[in-house]
């Protein structure tokens, strides 16, 4: 299970596994594009997510929805970063589930108005981590945890859920 917290400057990721003993931490971190132009940063996010899919082989992905920001330009950039992350996982034919930030916070902390620090604390406790993950990585892990738990309550183990399953892309014919 791969969780993604999209951003044009820092895209958090978190990989967890559901076992008979509960959720197990696999990996987390951030894709931090260093290219100067926005378009090149989007390319780095796309390639980074493709690399994560190849490295960890998740069976599904959960990603945070875009929230309405006070600055429309920022919301647009966030949407574009989210779009390239989704394109990378859909190209790998993985099912994608989407969650609003408030829903993730509610599922992890118990309130949709939780702070970043509260999310980090709860992710650390739920996954029994020795240290506190970076904020974007913690958000991505929270998205993954939210998805696994939501799927469990909505009809079975998360690995059986295919929320927003991508359709297979048909090749173009001349």
């Amino acid at each position: 299970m791969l969780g993604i917290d999209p951003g044009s400057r820092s895209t958090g990721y978190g990989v967890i596994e559901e076992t008979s003993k509960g959720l197990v931490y696999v990996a987390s971190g951030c894709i931090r594009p260093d290219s100067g132009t926005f378009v090149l940063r989007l390319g780095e996010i796309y390639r980074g997510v493709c690399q994560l899919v190849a490295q960890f082989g998740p069976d599904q992905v959960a990603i945070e929805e875009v929230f309405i920001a006070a600055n429309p330009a920022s919301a647009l950039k966030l949407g574009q970063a989210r779009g390239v992350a989704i394109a990378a996982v859909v190209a790998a034919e993985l099912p994608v589930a989407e969650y609003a930030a408030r829903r993730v916070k509610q599922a992890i902390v118990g309130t949709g108005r939780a702070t970043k620090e509260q999310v980090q604390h709860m992710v650390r406790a739920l996954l029994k981590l020795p240290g506190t993950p970076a904020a974007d990585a913690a958000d991505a892990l929270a998205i993954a945890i939210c998805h696994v738990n939501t799927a469990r309550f909505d009809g079975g183990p998360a690995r059986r859920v295919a929320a927003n399953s991508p359709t297979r892309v048909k090749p173009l014919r001349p």
Side-chain angles (χ1 to χ4, degrees):
M1 171 77 238
L2 171 63
I4 300 175
D5 179 35
S8 64
R9 296 277 181 193
S10 178
T11 292
Y13 68 88
V15 182
I16 61 173
E17 196 173 298
E18 186 178 18
T19 70
S20 60
K21 295 181 180 182
L23 299 178
V24 176
Y25 172 87
V26 176
S28 65
C30 296
I31 300 167
R32 295 189 197 280
D34 58 7
S35 295
T37 69
F38 180 68
V39 171
L40 292 176
R41 288 197 317 263
L42 291 177
E44 286 188 46
I45 293 167
Y46 179 87
R47 286 187 298 279
V49 173
C50 287
Q51 185 177 16
L52 291 171
V53 169
Q55 181 178 353
F56 296 107
D59 57 349
Q60 57 192 306
V61 177
I63 190 165
E64 187 174 276
E65 292 178 344
V66 174
F67 59 92
I68 303 302
N71 182 339
S74 295
L76 183 59
K77 286 181 178 181
L78 174 61
Q80 290 173 317
R82 184 176 177 276
V84 297
I86 290 172
V89 297
V90 169
E93 298 184 0
L94 292 171
V96 178
E98 302 170 276
Y99 294 94
R102 288 174 135 312
R103 183 170 178 195
V104 173
K105 290 175 181 181
Q106 175 73 38
I108 301 302
V109 180
T111 175
R113 295 179 180 255
T115 65
K116 289 242 182 221
E117 292 80 13
Q118 289 171 315
V119 171
Q120 287 174 294
H121 174 78
M122 286 306 297
V123 164
R124 180 180 180 186
L126 291 168
L127 296 175
K128 300 174 181 76
L129 300 176
T132 302
D136 292 327
D139 287 349
L141 288 165
I143 293 161
I145 294 167
C146 174
H147 177 66
V148 169
N149 289 334
T150 299
R152 188 179 300 142
F153 291 116
D154 286 348
R159 63 186 163 277
R160 293 189 194 147
V161 172
N164 300 331
S165 293
T167 57
R168 301 224 183 252
V169 178
K170 296 177 184 175
L172 295 175
R173 294 201 168 102

